[in-house]
Amino acid sequence: MHRRTFIKNTGAAGAVAITAGAGFSFINQNAKNKLPKWKGFNLLDFFSPDPASSRKPTTEEQFKWMSDWGFDFVRIPMAYPAYLKFDRSRNITPEEVYQIDEQAVDRIDKLVTTAHKYNIHVSLNLHRAPGYCVNAGFQEPYNLWTDQKALDAFCFHWNMWAKRYKNVSAKNISFDLLNEPSMREDMNDQHSKRSSVPGAVYRKLAIAASEAIRKENSMHLIIADGNDVGSSVIPEIADLDIGQSCRGYHPGIISHYKAPWAMKDTENVPEPKWPGQVGDQYLSRAMLEKYYKPWIDLVGKGVGVHCGECGCWNKTPHAVFLAWFGDVLDILSSNGIGFSLWEFAGDFGVLDSRRDDVAYEDWHGHKLDRKLLTLMMKY
């Protein structure tokens, strides 16, 4: 499955957790970041709104590999319809958004439990929430940013997940509220005009969802994705007890080179270089340092920061990808910020990425990108 998002504003092990939740505080061995320097992967088992289109399940053996390689974090981006019961031959109604499929929830719980067996922290994320998703592909019945019914449903879902993991330590689980927020003219057209979520609107959502989550456990750990589809710090919630999640896709000409969901004309784009002149801009580590400065400053202000997604689609030349990604990871890591690759297995992953310029290593029937894995293990 392709990574179906484009970061508009870009052009395109770890620490020891002590307490979390209200007044959460983590001791990070690498920096003053309040969040641990987790590193790991996104798992797309429940990424599709239609279970019939879902990926092959992540296996226990794969969790063992992650753990053996030194990774301690997985983010699970979920589409809420994946765990509902409703008539999928027509558009969902606002009432059906509440119809939880307990068997589907149990399957998600099995994934979480298996991760915990290998001491891997799980970040549950609503990639598609009632009334919003950065991607199209499912007809939302309302708008999360403008309709109270959508916000009520959003809080209902988070309360359900918080209740399910009420007695699980914040060392083991966190709740990533909403994937890559933005305002959009047409909630069901991912190419419609997009803009920042007004700070007051984002704050209202963050407070409402936090209350729904911490109603079950005041120590639950909550993270919010950056504004502008994950790229911008959210100063309006910096005083709240919530971490923030950045992205590792800047610049888009590197991370989403020739990606058809990100570029209208995939045939006439300049070949990426790192560093080097690409089109009308010079790409370099300096541009990354500028891009991440607001996030590094946020850490300095006492807000926990983690990079919930990063990586590169498989059309970017591998050598360019590794050179760029090395700078991304070095900047994040040197400031105590952990990261999570999109994805473990697939076009962005360390396994089965289908690149045509990689000498893959056979790994238990999978094709392993050893150079990418070695780079990630370094940090």
Side-chain angles (χ1 to χ4, degrees):
M1 181 182 295
H2 297 329
R3 174 68 175 104
R4 298 183 183 280
T5 191
F6 178 58
I7 309 306
K8 178 182 177 183
N9 278 23
T10 66
V16 180
I18 304 300
T19 60
F24 74 81
S25 176
F26 283 88
I27 295 175
N28 191 312
Q29 296 168 343
N30 303 287
K32 54 189 174 182
N33 193 346
K34 286 178 70 175
L35 288 179
K37 194 179 166 186
W38 295 305
K39 66 176 183 179
F41 305 91
N42 283 258
L43 305 180
L44 308 192
D45 299 47
F46 302 97
F47 178 71
S48 172
D50 182 3
S53 303
S54 62
R55 294 284 196 94
K56 290 182 179 179
T58 303
T59 65
E60 180 169 345
E61 184 179 37
Q62 290 172 330
F63 280 112
K64 184 179 186 303
W65 299 341
M66 294 179 214
S67 179
D68 288 347
W69 289 334
F71 297 99
D72 59 1
F73 177 92
V74 292
R75 180 173 180 262
I76 304 175
M78 304 179 294
Y80 77 92
Y83 58 85
L84 295 181
K85 284 183 177 179
F86 65 99
D87 182 355
R88 296 178 187 273
S89 69
R90 54 168 174 76
N91 293 337
I92 197 169
T93 67
E95 292 72 30
E96 289 171 328
V97 168
Y98 291 88
Q99 295 178 182
I100 302 297
D101 181 347
E102 291 298 336
Q103 289 184 329
V105 171
D106 286 344
R107 288 192 290 271
I108 296 172
D109 185 55
K110 182 181 178 181
L111 189 68
V112 173
T113 302
T114 307
H116 289 164
K117 179 179 177 180
Y118 291 90
N119 297 314
I120 293 174
H121 180 95
V122 173
S123 175
L124 285 180
N125 164 251
L126 280 182
H127 186 277
R128 176 174 293 278
Y132 179 79
C133 185
V134 71
N135 309 133
F138 183 85
Q139 192 74 17
E140 291 298 330
Y142 37 37
N143 186 321
L144 178 58
W145 305 113
T146 59
D147 300 330
Q148 185 62 42
K149 283 187 176 181
L151 181 58
D152 291 344
F154 182 70
C155 292
F156 166 83
H157 280 257
W158 275 124
N159 179 259
M160 179 200 72
W161 288 113
K163 187 177 296 181
R164 191 165 189 103
Y165 298 108
K166 182 172 185 173
N167 298 317
V168 176
S169 167
K171 290 195 298 182
N172 298 324
I173 200 157
S174 56
F175 303 91
D176 181 347
L177 297 178
L178 180 65
N179 183 71
E180 298 177 358
S182 68
M183 293 295 284
R184 197 162 51 204
E185 284 188 351
D186 182 350
M187 193 52 61
N188 292 303
D189 177 6
Q190 73 187 72
H191 298 297
S192 64
K193 186 177 180 181
R194 193 151 55 190
S195 60
S196 304
V197 178
V201 175
Y202 201 141
R203 182 180 176 86
K204 177 184 176 182
L205 176 138
I207 290 174
S210 296
E211 289 175 350
I213 291 170
R214 290 186 176 141
K215 177 182 177 182
E216 304 304 328
N217 183 338
S218 64
M219 305 298 281
H220 272 328
L221 174 56
I222 299 169
I223 296 172
D225 282 10
N227 209 333
D228 303 306
V229 290
S231 64
S232 302
V233 163
I234 322 150
E236 295 84 1
I237 67 167
D239 64 314
L240 303 180
D241 196 20
I242 296 175
Q244 297 193 29
S245 178
C246 64
R247 290 294 178 266
Y249 297 130
H250 180 75
I253 188 64
I254 297 288
S255 64
H256 289 71
Y257 177 60
K258 290 193 174 182
W261 67 94
M263 299 178 177
K264 291 183 178 180
D265 182 4
T266 59
E267 296 303 316
N268 296 297
V269 290
E271 183 176 350
K273 302 173 186 176
W274 192 267
Q277 188 73 31
V278 179
D280 60 359
Q281 58 181 337
Y282 186 81
L283 309 186
S284 67
R285 182 182 173 108
M287 76 183 302
L288 289 178
E289 291 173 342
K290 180 180 179 180
Y291 175 78
Y292 286 111
K293 186 178 186 303
W295 293 98
I296 295 166
D297 290 345
L298 193 65
V299 170
K301 294 174 182 176
V303 178
V305 173
H306 185 258
C307 181
E309 290 183 23
C310 55
C312 209
W313 196 45
N314 60 14
K315 296 300 183 288
T316 303
H318 197 237
V320 174
F321 166 38
L322 295 180
W324 163 80
F325 201 43
D327 279 341
V328 171
L329 296 185
D330 189 58
I331 291 169
L332 292 172
S333 182
S334 63
N335 288 283
I337 300 171
F339 64 92
S340 181
L341 184 74
W342 186 280
E343 53 203 309
F344 181 62
D347 290 356
F348 280 68
V350 293
L351 295 180
D352 306 325
S353 59
R354 303 191 299 175
R355 296 179 181 275
D356 59 14
D357 59 349
V358 173
Y360 288 106
E361 175 182 327
D362 179 72
W363 184 264
H364 303 275
H366 294 274
K367 292 183 177 180
L368 171 64
D369 184 344
R370 176 63 73 175
K371 287 185 177 180
L372 173 56
L373 176 60
T374 299
L375 176 62
M376 293 177 63
M377 289 172 66
K378 177 182 174 183
Y379 293 98

